[in-house]
Amino acid sequence: GAGVSQSPSNKVTEKGKDVELRCDPISGHTALYWYRQRLGQGLEFLIYFQGNSAPDKSGLPSDRFSAERTGGSVSTLTIQRTQQEDSAVYLCASSLRPGLAGRQFFGPGTRLTVL
Amino acid sequence: EDQVTQSPEALRLQEGESSSLNCSYTVSGLRGLFWYRQDPGKGPEFLFTLYSAGEEKEKERLKATLTKKESFLHITAPKPEDSATYLCAVQASGAGSYQLTFGKGTKLSVIP
């Protein structure tokens, strides 16, 4: 079956613009996670979805960041008024259920560059 | 706060030269420790889950071990295709605990 897909693979934007990043998880996976990976840094947890709800938004770095998930499937991470420090690879992952959080299947990521 | 520290940051090995990568962790209660492999331009790929001290898992040339404070990823007779960044992550125990805390990774280069 298909793995986790993300789009776009690369996004270059100007400071102050809004961007939307999309994630399609593996079919049937109820849990979905967003991470940020800055150059030379570890993966930084952003947000987690169980179905369509996000019990924990504590990882979002500022109120410019938001995310939603619809139909228990596709998720969108939105960054408003982008800043240069938002430049990073944004990774999405899914797991069959939250109890298997460790066994996450990752997408290829979206590389965001803010000029 | 959960913390994961990996060492070394980078490791160059000759093909066939065995070695180990280290992952030290601090967590309030360990639900699981996970190893992932990440190739350039790709997302991490799951390798192993370890749940309790003394546990070992093997896959081809890789063997992961766990103690109460650290985990090792042993690479036996590595090949160039083993070159990648290896990531360690922990999941804390407790109701509703689902978040993984990742280390920065060890970048392994295996030279033919």
Side-chain angles (χ1 to χ4, degrees):
Chain A
V4 178
S5 60
Q6 293 186 244
S7 61
S9 55
N10 280 284
K11 176 70 176 179
V12 180
T13 190
E14 294 179 347
K15 178 181 173 181
K17 300 285 189 181
D18 297 351
V19 295
E20 284 190 354
L21 312 180
R22 176 187 168 106
C23 172
D24 276 282
I26 293 173
S27 177
H29 280 195
T30 62
L32 185 146
Y33 314 81
W34 282 98
Y35 294 88
R36 179 169 68 177
Q37 189 173 32
R38 288 171 160 160
L39 192 64
Q41 301 298 311
L43 273 72
E44 176 187 3
F45 170 80
L46 297 179
I47 191 169
Y48 150 75
F49 286 93
Q50 171 56 30
N52 291 336
S53 65
D56 185 359
K57 301 181 181 179
S58 63
L60 295 177
S62 77
D63 58 8
R64 297 186 294 106
F65 287 71
S66 63
E68 64 175 13
R69 189 179 184 193
T70 55
S73 181
V74 172
S75 177
T76 302
L77 178 69
T78 302
I79 309 173
Q80 295 178 310
R81 305 181 302 282
T82 52
Q83 303 294 313
Q84 289 184 334
E85 62 262 28
D86 299 334
S87 295
V89 175
Y90 289 83
L91 290 160
C92 173
S94 68
S95 64
L96 188 59
R97 58 183 186 271
L100 294 177
R103 183 142 192 180
Q104 297 181 11
F105 295 81
F106 282 83
T110 293
R111 181 175 296 278
L112 175 65
T113 303
V114 182
L115 302 177
Chain B
E1 182 180 338
D2 303 338
Q3 288 190 326
V4 177
T5 303
Q6 293 188 246
S7 61
E9 290 184 10
L11 181 63
R12 285 172 61 93
L13 298 174
Q14 291 292 320
E15 184 173 1
E17 179 187 4
S18 301
S19 187
S20 296
L21 314 182
N22 177 265
C23 170
S24 297
Y25 64 90
T26 303
V27 66
S28 53
L30 183 68
R31 172 173 288 182
L33 183 141
F34 312 93
W35 283 97
Y36 283 81
R37 168 188 171 134
Q38 186 173 25
D39 292 298
K42 296 187 177 181
E45 177 186 348
F46 173 82
L47 291 174
F48 302 111
T49 304
L50 299 166
Y51 293 107
S52 58
E55 189 174 0
E56 298 183 354
K57 294 278 180 70
E58 284 190 69
K59 179 180 179 180
E60 296 180 354
R61 295 175 293 282
L62 300 176
K63 182 169 81 171
T65 61
L66 180 65
T67 72
K68 289 186 178 180
K69 294 184 178 181
E70 57 191 351
S71 176
F72 293 93
L73 185 65
H74 307 277
I75 304 176
T76 302
K79 298 182 178 181
E81 53 262 42
D82 295 322
S83 297
T85 296
Y86 291 86
L87 303 174
C88 174
V90 297
Q91 182 184 7
S93 60
S97 178
Y98 42 77
Q99 180 176 340
L100 296 188
T101 301
F102 281 84
K104 295 181 180 181
T106 293
K107 184 176 181 180
L108 175 66
S109 300
V110 182
I111 313 302

